[in-house]
Every structure is written in structure tokens, then in C-alpha cells.
């Protein structure tokens, strides 16, 4: 647990002083219902908006006195938000959606703020990398052409299976972006990642690659031990594999789906209803942190790297964190490439909670059987609107614009909540995505459940 920030003590003094000033001399401040808050996070670089809002005093500017507390894993984090031990948390985007529809832990969780775009990668062991190499297209300099397709992994998976060896891969949680991105990449190369059913929640029904949960900080050690042959995780745990010489990142999620949505800030619906001004205030602080992280072409990123490297936040070496946070990414040792948008915190409306982002997660839950039955398009839209709260985000943004802390053009004030459809060129399998037509999208994907299909026992029924 963190020691209260020194800015907090200063803020208390300033608030006391402000109380004796005439109203005209005071800046407008929201009358928050709860000013002492505890937020949870997992040790990943994409928790950065929380760390920056804390360290730069943005929470205190809003009259919020925040404690940030790392959590053991995503389930513990979600459970503690539900019980009220945490007021809110850095969450997997799938967690509020899954909880609200009753997949796994059931609770109404919402988000007024998306924390970032991109930020994940898929890493394989050195053994698997050497087996993949003969199937890769190479550049003139002898380095692989990127993005690397999963079709280069398929002969390796087939070889493992022919030898009676399971091909095991790690992801961080059943409703994580990492699970869906890994499945998306594998399926795009003809590798079946398995189905879920109501009676078998392993996600390994008919699987050629066996996916299972490993907490993010444990990924490199689990790979090194040989328990898994590869994994999908956020930073810095792909770059850590390179740093330790135990594995090779083969693709980033930016290459799987350009500017894909990642984490969100999650709260219970009850907390939001009971503390509307508090939620507005914390959303303002998080927006300011995201702006700081991306402003002036990422000019603040090295300072952010130093902050994140501290043990109370991510606790990895600065060199490892900087590899991705400063716009580069190292694949095979020494193969460093420019990926300027690997971590995006504010550009491209990264912080706006688009309904279409929520719908994509729901399509993947349906594709792999976590949503067992066919749902009409209207259902996807309704769930998205229950969970994603752009109206709160835009109200916070308007306050920042009125205060001179942000520009009108920084925010999609005229949005209907849906991004423009993702073009075929921006996604690994060349299949475009339109959040307004979820069933047509699901049916266009070669591997996965289709309309009218469900999984019973070990068989796909119907359709």
C-alpha cells in the first residue's frame, strides 16, 4: 500500500485556505461525495494513467485523496471492487462486460474511461521460435517480415501434436483482451484455440493450442520453466522475455488489430450512482494523466518510465519498460523496430469508452462459446450501453475544456458512441469489423461459432 502523496498534505492546506477566500477567488471544484479512495491495479505499464494522476497531483486537483494498491491477480481485483474494498480499478475490458452479463462473477460493473490502446504482444519460447523460422518470409537483411502470421506457427503446433506433446499457451484471464487477441491471431492462421461451453469452461474444447491462465508477472518464469510454449501479455512481460533471453515476441496487438482497445477503469454501477461528482472528478484526473502521457509526441514518456519502474507500480527495470513505452519494440534480440503507437493513452480518442469497443469483446465471447446462445444485434448494443458510459466521460471532458485544461478538438463530442468500421487493412485476418453489425461480423469469421450454433459436450450443434 502506498504512503499518502506529499501533494495530498499540501492540498489539504490549500483547501483550508481556499475556504476563507471569497467565492469569486475560488476555482470551481466539484463537491465530491467521497474524497478518500482506494484504487487497484495489476503491475502492467498500461496502469500508467493511475500512476501519473497520482504522482502529478491530478487527483488532488480534484479534491481526491487516492491510495493505489497492486492486486495479486485479475479475479482478486474484480472481487475487491465488487465488495467495496476497492472503490475502482484498472480492469480488463472484458471484466465489466462479463460480470454484467453473468459470465463468471456476476455484478453490474461499468466504465466511464478507457485506459489505452494497444500494448500487448505474443511471445514464444526459443524452441518454438527456431521451429517457426523455416516458415517465415525474410527481408534482405535476414530479419523476418512483420507482421508474422500464425500460419508460421501452425506447422509447429502440428509437429507437437504428432509427437503427442500438448502445445500450451498462457493468457492472463478468460475474459481478457489477451485471450481474445491470442485466439484471433491463432485462428487467423488456421489454428483452433478451442471453445467454451456451459459445462466446460476450460476453453479447450476442440483446441489445437491449449490456452490457460497465467498471471502477467509470472509469464516469463512459466515460459522459462517449459510449462507453456508461448503467451500473450501486456508490457513489460514480453520485453522481459527478450531481456532474459528466454523467448521471442512474434507480434504485437497493434499488428493484430491497429489501435485496438485495451484496459478500462471499472467501478460498480452502485458506486457511480451514489457518487456522481466523485466519478466525474476521477474521470477528469485520468483524462489529464492520459493527455500528459501522450503530449508533445510522447515527450514525457521517459519520466513515466522512471515512475512505472518503481516497486510500488510495475517494478521492472527501466530499460525493459522503455523498450515499448518510448515507441520501439524489440522482437528477436537486437531486432528493434519503430512502433510509435505501441502504447497509446490519449491519441485516437483512446480514453473515450466507445460502445463499438464493448461490442467487439462481446462478439469474441460469443465466437468462442462464453456466450452460449445466439443473441440479436440489439442485445449487443444494449449491453454495451449498460456498461460503457461515454456520457460521463464527455461531461468530464467538457469541464476540462471549460477550465482551459483541454481543447474542444481533443474529444469526440459529436460521437454516437461507435467508431468508424475497422477496415480490412487494419486487422490481421483482413476481415473488417463494424460494431453496428455484430452478427454479420461473427458469421464472417472462418473459425468460431456462427448464428444458431452452440457447444454441447464436445460438439458444435446447429447452424
Amino acid at each position: 500500500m502506498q504512503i499518502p502523496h506529499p501533494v495530498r498534505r499540501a492540498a489539504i492546506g490549500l483547501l483550508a485556505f481556499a475556504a476563507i477566500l471569497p467565492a469569486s477567488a475560488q476555482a470551481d471544484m466539484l463537491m465530491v461525495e467521497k474524497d478518500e479512495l482506494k484504487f487497484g491495479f495489476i503491475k502492467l505499464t498500461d496502469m500508467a494513467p493511475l500512476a501519473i494522476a497520482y504522482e502529478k497531483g491530478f487527483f488532488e486537483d480534484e479534491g481526491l485523496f487516492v491510495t493505489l494498491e497492486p492486486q495479486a491477480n485479475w479475479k482478486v481485483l474484480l472481487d475487491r471492487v465488487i465488495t467495496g474494498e476497492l472503490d475502482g480499478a484498472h480492469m480488463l475490458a472484458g471484466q465489466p462486460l462479463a460480470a454484467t452479463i453473468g459470465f463468471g462473477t456476476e455484478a453490474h460493473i461499468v466504465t466511464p474511461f478507457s485506459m489505452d490502446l494497444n500494448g500487448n504482444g505474443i511471445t514464444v519460447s526459443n524452441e518454438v521460435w527456431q521451429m517457426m523460422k523455416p516458415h517465415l518470409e525474410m527481408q534482405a537483411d535476414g530479419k523476418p517480415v512483420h507482421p508474422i502470421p500464425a500460419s508460421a506457427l501452425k506447422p509447429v503446433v502440428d509437429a507437437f501434436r504428432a509427437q503427442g506433446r500438448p502445445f500450451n499457451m498462457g493468457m492472463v484471464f478468460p475474459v481478457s483482451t489477451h485471450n481474445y487477441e491470442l485466439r484471433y491471431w491463432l485462428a487467423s492462421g488456421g489454428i483452433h484455440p478451442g471453445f467454451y461451453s456451459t459445462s466446460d469452461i476450460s476453453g479447450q474444447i476442440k483446441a489445437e493450442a491449449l490456452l490457460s491462465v497465467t498471471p502477467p508477472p509470472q509469464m516469463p518464469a512459466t515460459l522459462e520453466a517449459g510449462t507453456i510454449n508461448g503467451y500473450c501479455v501486456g508490457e513489460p512481460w514480453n520485453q522481459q522475455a527478450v531481456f532474459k533471453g528466454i523467448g521471442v515476441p512474434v507480434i504485437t496487438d497493434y499488428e493484430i488489430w491497429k489501435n485496438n482497445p485495451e484496459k478500462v477503469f471499472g467501478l460498480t454501477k452502485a458506486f457511480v450512482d451514489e457518487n456522481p461528482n466523485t466519478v466525474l472528478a476521477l474521470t477528469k484526473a485520468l483524462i489529464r494523466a492520459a493527455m500528459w502521457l501522450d503530449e508533445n509526441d510522447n515527450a514525457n514518456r521517459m519520466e513515466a518510465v522512471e515512475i512505472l519502474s518503481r516497486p510500488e507500480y510495475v517494478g521492472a527495470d527501466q530499460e525493459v519498460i522503455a523498450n515499448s513505452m518510448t515507441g520501439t519494440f524489440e522482437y528477436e534480440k537486437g531486432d528493434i523496430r519503430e512502433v510509435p503507437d505501441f502504447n497509446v493513452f490519449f491519441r485516437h480518442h483512446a480514453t473515450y469508452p466507445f460502445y463499438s469497443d464493448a461490442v467487439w469483446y462481446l462478439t469474441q465471447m460469443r465466437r468462442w462459446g462464453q456466450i452460449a446462445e445466439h443473441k440479436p444485434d440489439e442485445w449487443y448494443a444494449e449491453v454495451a450501453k449498460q456498461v460503457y458510459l461515454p456520457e460521463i466521460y464527455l461531461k468530464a471532458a467538457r469541464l476540462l475544456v471549460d477550465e482551459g485544461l483541454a481543447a474542444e478538438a481533443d474529444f469526440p463530442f459529436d460521437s454516437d458512441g461507435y467508431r468508424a468500421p475497422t477496415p480490412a487493412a487494419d486487422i490481421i485476418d483482413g476481415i473488417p469489423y463494424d460494431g453496428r453489425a455484430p452478427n454479420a461480423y461473427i458469421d464472417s469469421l472462418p473459425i468460431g461459432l456462427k448464428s444458431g450454433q452452440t457447444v454441447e459436450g464436445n460438439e458444435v450443434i446447429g447452424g
Side-chain angles (χ1 to χ4, degrees):
M1 185 180 295
Q2 292 183 323
I3 298 171
H5 195 279
V7 177
R8 172 179 173 174
R9 292 190 290 272
I12 293 170
L14 287 171
L15 288 171
F17 177 70
I20 65 173
L21 292 175
S24 60
Q26 295 184 42
D28 290 336
M29 182 178 284
L30 291 163
M31 297 298 292
V32 297
E33 300 83 5
K34 184 175 185 180
D35 63 354
E36 296 205 15
L37 302 166
K38 183 187 291 185
F39 297 149
F41 67 93
I42 297 293
K43 292 194 168 192
L44 294 160
T45 55
D46 57 22
M47 63 77 60
L50 286 169
I52 298 307
Y54 181 86
E55 295 292 335
K56 293 296 174 182
F58 299 148
F59 286 132
E60 287 86 353
D61 287 349
E62 300 297 332
L64 302 176
F65 307 126
V66 169
T67 299
L68 300 178
E69 187 176 284
Q71 305 298 300
N73 57 56
W74 292 114
K75 185 179 187 311
V76 167
L77 177 146
L78 177 63
D79 289 346
R80 296 190 76 210
V81 170
I82 292 169
T83 62
E85 296 168 80
L86 297 172
D87 296 298
H90 162 233
M91 282 189 186
L92 300 160
Q95 284 187 293
L97 292 161
T100 297
I101 66 173
F103 180 77
T105 304
E106 187 169 358
H108 194 173
I109 307 295
V110 298
T111 179
F113 181 85
S114 289
M115 294 191 70
D116 61 318
L117 303 177
N118 312 316
N120 297 330
I122 296 173
T123 293
V124 299
S125 69
N126 291 334
E127 177 196 9
V128 170
W129 176 242
Q130 291 306 316
M131 294 173 71
M132 288 179 69
K133 273 189 165 181
H135 308 285
L136 301 177
E137 182 183 355
M138 294 295 181
Q139 301 174 160
D141 62 3
K143 294 178 180 177
V145 172
H146 279 256
I148 291 175
S151 57
L153 180 64
K154 184 166 175 54
V156 181
V157 173
D158 290 344
F160 268 63
R161 297 179 75 207
Q163 297 165 15
R165 298 169 64 191
F167 192 87
N168 297 313
M169 299 195 79
M171 47 79 181
V172 307
F173 202 67
V175 296
S176 67
T177 316
H178 318 78
N179 185 23
Y180 303 130
E181 287 171 348
L182 181 52
R183 287 169 173 273
Y184 208 102
W185 181 68
L186 291 169
S188 73
I191 302 168
H192 202 306
F195 290 120
Y196 295 82
S197 75
T198 53
S199 60
D200 183 347
I201 58 170
S202 70
Q204 297 182 355
I205 298 168
K206 292 189 175 299
E208 295 171 313
L210 304 175
L211 279 55
S212 59
V213 170
T214 303
Q218 296 174 25
M219 291 283 194
T222 308
L223 184 74
E224 188 173 20
T227 307
I228 54 177
N229 306 108
Y231 56 72
C232 183
V233 74
E235 283 307 299
W237 309 114
N238 296 286
Q239 295 299 274
Q240 184 82 315
V242 180
F243 192 73
K244 295 179 70 175
I246 60 171
V248 176
V250 292
I251 193 168
T252 67
D253 59 344
Y254 180 83
E255 297 165 301
I256 296 171
W257 177 12
K258 181 180 177 182
N259 294 327
N260 64 91
E262 237 301 292
K263 304 296 191 307
V264 298
F265 188 78
L267 311 107
T268 64
K269 177 67 161 52
F271 184 93
V272 172
D273 290 345
E274 293 164 12
N275 302 282
N277 283 348
T278 302
V279 174
L280 267 181
L282 71 88
T283 304
K284 286 176 66 184
L286 290 173
I287 291 173
R288 290 183 66 193
M291 293 173 66
W292 183 91
L293 281 159
D294 278 10
E295 70 185 10
N296 299 325
D297 294 324
N298 296 351
N300 298 323
R301 289 295 182 90
M302 282 309 298
E303 183 180 349
V305 166
E306 186 280 319
I307 290 169
L308 292 172
S309 71
R310 298 174 192 171
E312 63 265 35
Y313 296 124
V314 179
D317 291 342
Q318 288 190 42
E319 180 184 353
V320 175
I321 296 174
N323 256 9
S324 60
M325 276 286 282
T326 56
T328 62
F329 195 80
E330 189 168 11
Y331 296 87
E332 193 172 13
K333 189 69 175 175
D335 185 0
I336 300 173
R337 307 194 187 201
E338 295 292 321
V339 188
D341 278 349
F342 181 83
N343 281 121
V344 173
F345 293 99
F346 190 70
R347 292 187 299 280
H348 315 308
H349 300 313
T351 53
Y352 183 89
F354 284 98
Y355 298 139
S356 48
D357 293 349
V359 170
W360 185 82
Y361 283 99
L362 293 168
T363 67
Q364 300 311 294
M365 293 179 191
R366 171 62 188 143
R367 181 185 187 184
W368 303 117
Q370 291 175 331
I371 296 171
E373 303 290 341
H374 170 80
K375 304 289 185 183
D377 285 352
E378 295 76 18
W379 180 87
Y380 290 88
E382 289 165 5
V383 173
K385 289 177 181 178
Q386 287 177 41
V387 176
Y388 278 44
L389 305 177
E391 63 277 10
I392 293 177
Y393 177 92
L394 290 179
K395 191 171 182 181
R398 175 58 63 194
L399 291 171
L400 290 172
V401 171
D402 292 347
E403 292 165 16
L405 295 171
E408 180 94 12
D410 288 339
F411 304 101
F413 285 111
D414 59 352
S415 174
D416 66 354
Y418 285 81
R419 293 184 188 272
T422 302
D426 288 350
I427 200 158
I428 192 73
D429 56 7
I431 298 173
Y433 165 65
D434 183 352
R436 295 178 179 83
N439 280 300
Y441 173 65
I442 292 167
D443 288 345
S444 72
L445 299 165
I447 296 178
L449 295 179
K450 306 293 186 291
S451 296
Q453 292 185 327
T454 189
V455 181
E456 295 181 11
N458 290 317
E459 296 301 324
V460 175
I461 306 298

